[in-house]
């Protein structure tokens, strides 16, 4: 992973925070429906925003375009897999193709940050000296 990451002063901190964000999405996706807090926004927006942040985080962390593409593919597959698990685990939740679509659109938006000057914002914050 070291060569794939951008040259940060504290690469393990940023990679660790990104992995924690992924874990939070996984846990949030597998919490029984009755235990979810009520929120004032659409759950589709929650899916979109969470996956956009994860994909944008990958753009911030990884130096190579191939790494961005691979991670974003894995995020899309993770979103689909979590939807299937929700249906299979009898958590009071159901598989929703629109959630998977919102996840995928979020990943695409996060990946699109690679086309902006913001793609190296974290590197400018924490460069290796």
């Amino acid at each position: 992973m070291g060569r794939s990451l951008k040259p940060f002063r504290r690469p393990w901190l940023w990679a660790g925070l990104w992995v924690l964000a992924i874990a939070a999405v996984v846990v949030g996706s597998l919490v029984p429906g009755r235990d979810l807090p009520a929120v004032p926004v659409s759950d589709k927006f929650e899916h979109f925003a969470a996956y956009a942040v994860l994909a944008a985080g990958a753009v911030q962390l990884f130096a190579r375009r191939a790494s961005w593409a691979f991670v974003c593919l894995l995020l899309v597959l993770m979103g689909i897999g979590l939807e299937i698990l929700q249906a299979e685990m009898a958590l009071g939740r159901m598989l929703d193709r629109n959630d998977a679509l919102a996840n995928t659109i979020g990943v695409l938006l996060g990946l699109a940050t690679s086309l902006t000057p913001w793609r190296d914002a974290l590197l400018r914050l924490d460069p290796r000296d």
Side-chain angles (χ1 to χ4, degrees):
M1 178 161 43
R3 289 187 317 149
S4 294
L5 293 178
K6 292 179 181 176
F8 297 111
R9 184 177 337 142
R10 297 172 290 221
W12 295 106
L13 169 67
W14 305 118
L17 289 173
W18 184 67
V19 168
L20 281 175
I22 291 171
V25 168
V26 170
V27 169
S29 295
L30 297 178
V31 169
R34 67 183 177 281
D35 295 338
L36 290 172
V39 291
V41 296
S42 164
D43 76 316
K44 304 304 178 261
F45 179 77
E46 291 176 4
H47 284 265
F48 167 79
Y51 282 80
V53 167
L54 293 179
V59 169
Q60 291 299 312
L61 282 175
F62 296 101
R64 299 177 180 168
R65 290 180 184 177
S67 297
W68 300 339
F70 181 69
V71 168
C72 287
L73 174 63
L74 291 179
L75 288 173
V76 168
L77 293 174
M78 180 182 88
I80 293 168
L82 288 171
E83 287 299 318
I84 293 169
L85 282 174
Q86 286 177 354
E88 296 295 321
M89 293 177 66
L91 299 168
R93 301 178 73 175
M94 61 183 187
L95 183 143
D96 186 344
R97 288 179 177 91
N98 290 327
D99 287 349
L101 179 61
N103 298 343
T104 301
I105 293 169
V107 168
L108 292 173
L109 179 73
L111 181 59
T113 64
S114 67
L115 303 172
T116 72
W118 289 97
R119 75 175 164 266
D120 290 325
L122 188 56
L123 185 58
R124 286 191 290 273
L125 178 72
D126 188 41
R128 188 180 315 155
D129 295 326

